[in-house]
Structures are given as C-alpha cells and as structure tokens.
Amino acid sequence: MPDASHNDAVLIFPAGMPRALEFLGQCRRQGRKALGASSLAYDPARQRYDRWLTLPYVTAADFDAALRRAVAEHGVTGIYTPHVVVWDYLNRRLADIAPGVALLNASPLDEELAAYRTALDAAPAFLSQPLPLASSLPAQPPQPEAEIAALLRHFAAIPGMCDLDKLKALYEIARRCPQGDVVEIGSWWGKSAFALLWLAQRYAIGKLLCVDPWENAQLLQHDADPLVDRLAADRLDADEALRIFQINLLPYSRNDCNYLRMGSLEAAAHYGRQPTVQTPGFGTTAYQGGIALLHIDGNHAYDSVKADIEAWSVHMADGGWIVVDDYRWPFGDGPRRAGDEFLQTHRATIRAAFVAGGALYLQRAAH
C-alpha cells in the first residue's frame, strides 16, 4: 500500500533535463508533490528534489516492473517526461503498466518545434499582405520566406509589448527607408530593438542605437493610469531588464548595435556632439549622425514624448521615418497628443502618415 503522506505525487523522469526542472518549479509554485527519477548512477539534479528514486533505462527489460512499483509505493498519479523517446514509450504503454496514471505533457517533440512551426506557418501570410504605403522612396524587395520565419521565431522569443501588427509596419517602412542611423528611445528588454536591428541589417539601412536609462524612476508615467506606475514600482527591475536586453541583442550584433544608458535628452545631446558609443559588451560603434528611422517608445507622459520628438527629430534624414509608439494607448494620451502636434506643425514636410499596431508612422519628405 502506498504511504498516505505520499499520495498524489507527480513523477518527473528523467528529472535532470531543463524542461524537467522547469516543471519542478511549476509543481512547487502550485503546491504539488514532485518525485524525481533518473536512470543515471549519479545525476546532479538529485539535490534539487525532496524525493528521488532510480529507474532502469526505458530500454531495460525490467523497466515496466520498476515503474509499476514506483507508482504503487509513492502514490504517483501523473508522470511528466521531457524525453522524446521516453514520452513515446509511455504514450503507448502507460495504460498497461499503470492504469489510471496520466501522462501529463504533450509530445516533447511537438512542444520543442511548436514555435518554429508557428513561425513557418505565419511567414507566407506576412509576405502576402504588404501595406500599400505612399512613401517618398520605392520599396526594396521583400525578404525570402525563410528569413521572415526566422524573424518571427526570434521576435516571439523576446518578452515585450510589440505585436505582430507593429512588426509588419516596421518591416514595410524599413523597405522604404533611406540610409542612416536607426535610433530607438526606450528599449527595455529589446523586443522592438531586435526587430529594428534585423531590419537594418537586411536592408542595409545603418547601425542601431538604443537609448534607455534603465531606471525604475523613469518608468513612471505620471499622467497615465496608475496601474502602469504600480506595475513599474512593484514588478519591474531595470538592472535585470538591461541584462536581458544584452542577452537578446548581443548574438545579433555585427558591430552595428550599441546603447546609451541615459535619459533621452542627455543622449540626444551626446549624439549631436559625437555620434560614437562605447560599451563593454558591444564595443565601439560609430554612427553617421543622421537618422533614417527613429522609434520613440520612452516615457509616455505628454511632456516626455514631446521633448523626445523635438530633441531627436532635428537629426532626421530626408525620407526618414519617425515612429511614435502607443499612439493608441489605453493608459494615457501623451503619445497621441505629442504625435498629433508634431504632424500638424510639420505637415508640409511629412510625405506619409499612418497608424498601425497602435503606433503612428511619419515619413519626412525626400528632396
């Protein structure tokens, strides 16, 4: 008879694989009892588990009997396995070995490939629905389907609020962009920064400069719904965000990406004086001093957005694009007010203007 104190246990096998350890964390957060198991004589993951047992390899003749004993002795009601072969075997045999015990996860192979399959399925639609933009510059050719699938896959892996509608719009304006620097105000974890870097490389636009103070105090919107400020104060860590940004951008940098950890206005002054940036991770990056694509996604308070546009737009190249993010934003109207004012003031020099993915896109007329 199973020990009553061990009832309703989850068996994790093999217990040392990365997805197994992730599932162990889920069990602990949910208060579920977890039993780790391995076929190795020594498995370093053993110290991560409160309870542990050794099972034969799934190819061994006595595996079924050993698993049956483990289920009975430990009150196992479910099994989680991230191993493709073990999962396939249990999917076929578990009902006979231990009737009533559930296999808790779907095929690990399907789980591993799901994000890639999603990207491959989405790429044709991404390419088949181009935006009809009235641009000053002709559109460069679209990227091959495999390249778009790669963009979608890696974009999806980075946390952030930038959605596919906005990615699509950024892709379309990048195809109609002059040469020059690509500047982003407000990068945080680097989701849109990755997209901008990828696009700048594919369309030979120029180097990417990311500007963000990475300070929690700078996240406060002040005139926005207090829900945003409360989240910034309680849940977000600026130092962690910078480290995540570096993890996300460093693998793709070809000495064509860097960042300034400072406020937007201070960074604009630095850019105007000497457009060269040096950081330990990204090295030294020399910029042209003229901006082909400006993405404004810093503090969303009206005064901050207006100041960002004024400070950086003076460096715009002819035919360059200004993107004001969150022009449609449920927590405040700062980006919309500042964007509308800029459009009204500079209407004579704006060649194209549209809204997509919640952002405002403005193209300066090319001479």
Side-chain angles (χ1 to χ4, degrees):
M1 295 290 291
D3 186 334
S5 65
H6 290 169
N7 283 342
D8 299 326
V10 174
L11 174 65
I12 304 176
F13 171 73
M17 296 178 67
R19 283 182 177 265
L21 296 175
E22 290 177 8
F23 186 76
L24 172 63
Q26 294 178 28
C27 289
R28 287 180 170 156
R29 289 191 293 272
Q30 297 168 2
R32 304 174 71 182
K33 298 176 182 178
L35 170 66
S38 175
S39 301
L40 301 176
Y42 172 74
D43 192 322
R46 181 170 187 165
Q47 61 186 352
R48 305 281 293 271
Y49 289 80
D50 297 326
R51 291 187 291 155
W52 185 266
L53 62 86
T54 301
L55 287 173
Y57 284 101
V58 71
T59 54
D62 60 342
F63 175 81
D64 290 6
L67 178 61
R68 190 178 294 113
R69 286 194 303 271
V71 167
E73 292 173 5
H74 296 276
V76 173
T77 58
I79 299 176
Y80 176 89
T81 176
H83 195 287
V84 175
V85 176
V86 174
W87 186 93
D88 184 69
Y89 181 80
L90 292 179
N91 188 51
R92 291 183 288 106
R93 294 280 300 132
L94 185 57
D96 296 326
I97 299 170
V101 175
L103 189 55
L104 299 177
N105 57 307
S107 165
L109 182 63
D110 290 341
E111 291 179 342
E112 292 281 358
L113 297 180
Y116 295 94
R117 290 168 175 167
T118 297
L120 288 167
D121 290 343
F126 192 97
L127 288 169
S128 67
Q129 301 168 2
L131 296 179
L133 302 185
S135 169
S136 296
L137 302 172
Q140 295 189 58
Q143 292 294 307
E145 191 172 293
E147 287 278 349
I148 295 300
L151 168 63
L152 296 175
R153 170 66 187 96
H154 293 280
F155 179 77
I158 300 175
M161 301 301 292
C162 186
D163 61 20
L164 288 180
D165 287 339
K166 182 177 175 184
L167 178 63
K168 175 70 172 179
L170 291 175
Y171 168 77
E172 294 291 0
I173 67 172
R175 295 175 56 205
R176 301 162 171 86
C177 201
Q179 290 189 334
D181 301 327
V182 179
V183 177
E184 177 173 70
I185 311 303
S187 295
W188 202 244
W189 293 313
K191 190 177 186 74
S192 55
F194 160 74
L196 292 171
L197 179 60
W198 189 96
L199 292 167
Q201 291 172 345
R202 295 313 184 278
Y203 288 109
I205 299 172
K207 299 177 182 179
L208 172 66
L209 173 62
C210 296
V211 175
D212 198 309
W214 281 286
E215 292 180 358
N216 281 73
Q218 296 295 323
L219 295 174
L220 300 180
Q221 308 299 312
H222 303 298
D223 67 344
D225 190 297
L227 289 174
V228 178
D229 287 353
R230 189 176 299 113
L231 172 67
D234 296 343
R235 302 291 298 174
L236 299 180
D237 183 326
D239 289 331
E240 177 188 61
L242 175 56
R243 291 192 293 271
I244 293 173
F245 166 87
Q246 293 167 333
I247 290 171
N248 288 329
L249 272 293
L250 278 170
Y252 303 99
S253 177
R254 305 169 183 168
N255 197 32
D256 55 359
C257 171
N258 222 313
Y259 68 91
L260 288 171
R261 189 177 188 179
M262 59 180 65
S264 172
L265 303 188
E266 181 184 0
H270 175 98
Y271 181 83
R273 291 192 307 269
Q274 176 55 264
T276 299
V277 175
Q278 183 175 22
T279 59
F282 292 90
T284 301
T285 308
Y287 295 92
Q288 295 184 29
I291 301 175
L293 199 165
L294 173 64
H295 180 225
I296 296 178
D297 189 19
N299 190 288
H300 286 13
Y302 164 73
D303 290 342
S304 295
V305 182
K306 180 178 180 179
D308 288 345
I309 296 174
E310 291 177 349
W312 289 94
S313 63
V314 296
H315 301 293
M316 294 300 301
D318 289 345
W321 290 89
I322 299 175
V323 181
V324 181
D325 192 43
D326 290 322
Y327 177 81
R328 292 174 177 165
W329 195 49
F331 304 106
D333 62 357
R336 180 182 59 77
R337 291 166 56 201
D340 286 349
E341 287 184 7
F342 183 84
L343 177 59
Q344 182 63 33
T345 302
H346 299 273
R347 182 178 297 276
T349 61
I350 300 298
R351 177 64 179 86
F354 68 98
V355 176
L360 173 66
Y361 302 79
L362 305 171
Q363 185 182 37
R364 181 174 176 178
H367 299 296

